[in-house]
Amino acid sequence: MEFEEKTINRQEIFKGHIFDVVVDDVELPNALGHAKRELIFHKGAVAVLAVTPEGKIIIVKQYRKAIEQISYEIPAGKLEIGESGSERDAALRELEEETGYTGSISEIHEFYTAIGFCNEKIKLYLATDLVKVPNPRPQDDDEVLEIFELTYEECLDLVKTGQCQDAKTIIALQYFGLHLNKN
Amino acid sequence: MEFEEKTINRQEIFKGHIFDVVVDDVELPNALGHAKRELIFHKGAVAVLAVTPEGKIIIVKQYRKAIEQISYEIPAGKLEIGESGSERDAALRELEEETGYTGSISEIHEFYTAIGFCNEKIKLYLATDLVKVPNPRPQDDDEVLEIFELTYEECLDLVKTGQCQDAKTIIALQYFGLHLNKN
């Protein structure tokens, strides 16, 4: 059985700052004919499960326009152009910009967020040994953020009440539950 | 502190079968000025953590055009138009079409996959008491799928080796590890 879909033609629909959109005509494997594939290309992102010396998790409250709601999430940010080789630096930068902390980081997972139509890949890091940066880099000027340090149980409540419905944050919290929860 | 971003103008970029694309001009809160938001609107999807009576997890092997790679994932599918009130039916339909099984289902989580720019929401179900359907609904004719029944450890190996880098599947496997793993 063959699986690969070969691109016969690509129509470029949109080139944005956050993502590009194309529609591919593909030749299906096993003589199944042709199909259309609507695709989003994204540069990728990093996210940080940041755990304080007291075992609390750093959570960012922010507005998400795509869902027209406020959302509670772990710190995260898009990769800038040419940054793909240094996701660690990007993770430390986002942590500092959004929370004013720096620390030791190690990779947990990387995953595609919406694999059916989008190539956005998020690299998730664990940050520990957190210390406050004296003069942290400023936040992006189009972001309004509020920062919380919450217990694991408080984070689970945010999930239960629907205030956190963010896939990357759920992955990070489950990781905490599986590997870091001391209770 | 205010969080909400009000839409001043919306530019419609693309209306597709899988998603629509718009660019909004928004008024930022707290007199921060204006910003652009590139947004993807998607009808939503369902996914199923299906566990056999032997405690194995059903995994689908398929090609994902957005990443030009083969991927191992739990069964999933988009909601059809007007299906938003009956995600349970959609979950049972996808399970039957992709695996030939039906069973008892219950909701685990729902989450936004790429909350920064996309409103795709996946409702994740647990399916147990699986039985083979005598004449299952056929697979979609543009999908090539291979089905596996794998132990939790075999699934973790797929994650470790990078053959599964799919967020919804990682959420499902971590849920299994937290709540269903008997070892």
Side-chain angles (χ1 to χ4, degrees):
Chain A
M1 195 153 63
E2 292 294 318
F3 285 86
E4 196 183 331
E5 301 177 351
K6 286 200 191 75
T7 303
I8 306 302
N9 187 50
R10 167 162 294 178
Q11 188 188 355
E12 299 201 346
I13 304 284
F14 175 66
K15 274 198 169 306
H17 294 281
I18 311 298
F19 54 77
D20 299 338
V21 180
V22 306
V23 177
D24 280 5
D25 289 310
V26 301
E27 184 183 326
L28 297 172
N30 312 307
L32 284 171
H34 288 216
K36 297 261 188 198
R37 297 288 179 244
E38 299 172 6
L39 304 172
I40 310 283
F41 296 135
H42 185 283
K43 293 186 193 70
V46 292
V48 185
L49 169 58
V51 182
T52 70
E54 299 77 33
K56 291 195 175 180
I57 297 166
I58 298 186
I59 294 289
V60 179
K61 175 183 175 182
Q62 66 197 298
Y63 187 76
R64 289 303 198 175
K65 188 65 187 169
I67 63 167
E68 302 272 6
Q69 280 178 43
I70 282 171
S71 172
Y72 291 80
E73 304 170 26
I74 58 172
K78 294 178 295 296
L79 290 173
E80 310 292 343
I81 294 164
E83 212 174 25
S84 61
S86 59
E87 286 102 340
R88 295 177 69 89
D89 293 347
L92 284 168
R93 183 197 65 223
E94 290 297 334
L95 181 67
E96 180 177 329
E97 281 181 11
E98 296 197 348
T99 73
Y101 276 114
T102 192
S104 316
I105 63 169
S106 56
E107 198 186 318
I108 291 180
H109 266 313
E110 55 183 348
F111 47 84
Y112 294 101
T113 54
I115 201 166
F117 57 92
C118 176
N119 74 343
E120 187 199 26
K121 194 184 217 177
I122 292 186
K123 209 168 234 186
L124 174 62
Y125 289 91
L126 173 67
T128 55
D129 306 323
L130 298 184
V131 289
K132 279 277 177 193
V133 176
N135 294 297
R137 277 181 258 215
Q139 291 175 7
D140 290 347
D141 58 12
D142 69 346
E143 289 183 338
V144 177
L145 307 177
E146 194 174 352
I147 309 301
F148 297 86
E149 301 187 5
L150 302 180
T151 65
Y152 175 58
E153 289 69 27
E154 288 169 333
C155 291
L156 293 187
D157 275 345
L158 289 176
V159 175
K160 213 171 291 176
T161 56
Q163 294 173 283
C164 169
Q165 295 192 307
D166 169 47
K168 67 179 176 298
T169 302
I170 290 174
I171 289 177
L173 294 176
Q174 289 179 322
Y175 180 88
F176 188 97
L178 281 166
H179 302 291
L180 301 173
N181 191 19
K182 308 245 162 47
N183 297 336
Chain B
M1 192 153 61
E2 291 294 318
F3 285 87
E4 194 184 332
E5 301 177 351
K6 287 201 189 75
T7 302
I8 305 303
N9 186 49
R10 168 163 293 179
Q11 188 187 357
E12 298 201 349
I13 304 287
F14 175 65
K15 274 198 170 305
H17 295 280
I18 310 299
F19 54 75
D20 299 338
V21 181
V22 306
V23 178
D24 279 6
D25 288 312
V26 302
E27 185 184 324
L28 297 172
N30 312 307
L32 283 171
H34 287 217
K36 296 262 188 198
R37 298 288 180 242
E38 300 172 7
L39 304 172
I40 309 284
F41 296 135
H42 185 283
K43 294 186 192 69
V46 291
V48 185
L49 170 58
V51 182
T52 70
E54 298 77 32
K56 290 193 175 181
I57 297 165
I58 298 186
I59 293 289
V60 179
K61 175 183 177 183
Q62 65 196 301
Y63 187 77
R64 289 302 200 177
K65 188 64 187 172
I67 63 167
E68 302 272 5
Q69 279 177 45
I70 283 171
S71 172
Y72 291 80
E73 303 171 25
I74 59 172
K78 294 179 294 294
L79 291 174
E80 312 293 342
I81 294 165
E83 215 175 24
S84 61
S86 58
E87 287 102 339
R88 294 177 70 89
D89 295 345
L92 284 168
R93 184 196 65 222
E94 290 297 334
L95 182 65
E96 180 178 328
E97 282 182 8
E98 295 197 349
T99 74
Y101 277 113
T102 191
S104 316
I105 63 170
S106 56
E107 198 185 319
I108 292 180
H109 265 313
E110 56 182 347
F111 47 83
Y112 294 102
T113 53
I115 201 167
F117 59 94
C118 177
N119 74 342
E120 187 199 26
K121 192 184 218 179
I122 292 185
K123 209 168 233 187
L124 173 63
Y125 289 91
L126 173 65
T128 54
D129 306 324
L130 298 184
V131 289
K132 278 278 177 191
V133 175
N135 294 297
R137 278 182 258 213
Q139 290 175 10
D140 290 345
D141 59 8
D142 69 342
E143 288 185 340
V144 177
L145 308 177
E146 193 174 354
I147 309 302
F148 297 87
E149 299 186 5
L150 302 180
T151 64
Y152 176 58
E153 289 68 27
E154 287 169 333
C155 291
L156 293 186
D157 275 345
L158 288 176
V159 174
K160 214 170 288 176
T161 56
Q163 293 172 282
C164 169
Q165 295 192 307
D166 169 47
K168 68 180 174 300
T169 303
I170 290 173
I171 289 176
L173 293 176
Q174 288 181 325
Y175 179 88
F176 189 99
L178 281 166
H179 303 289
L180 302 173
N181 191 22
K182 309 239 161 50
N183 296 334

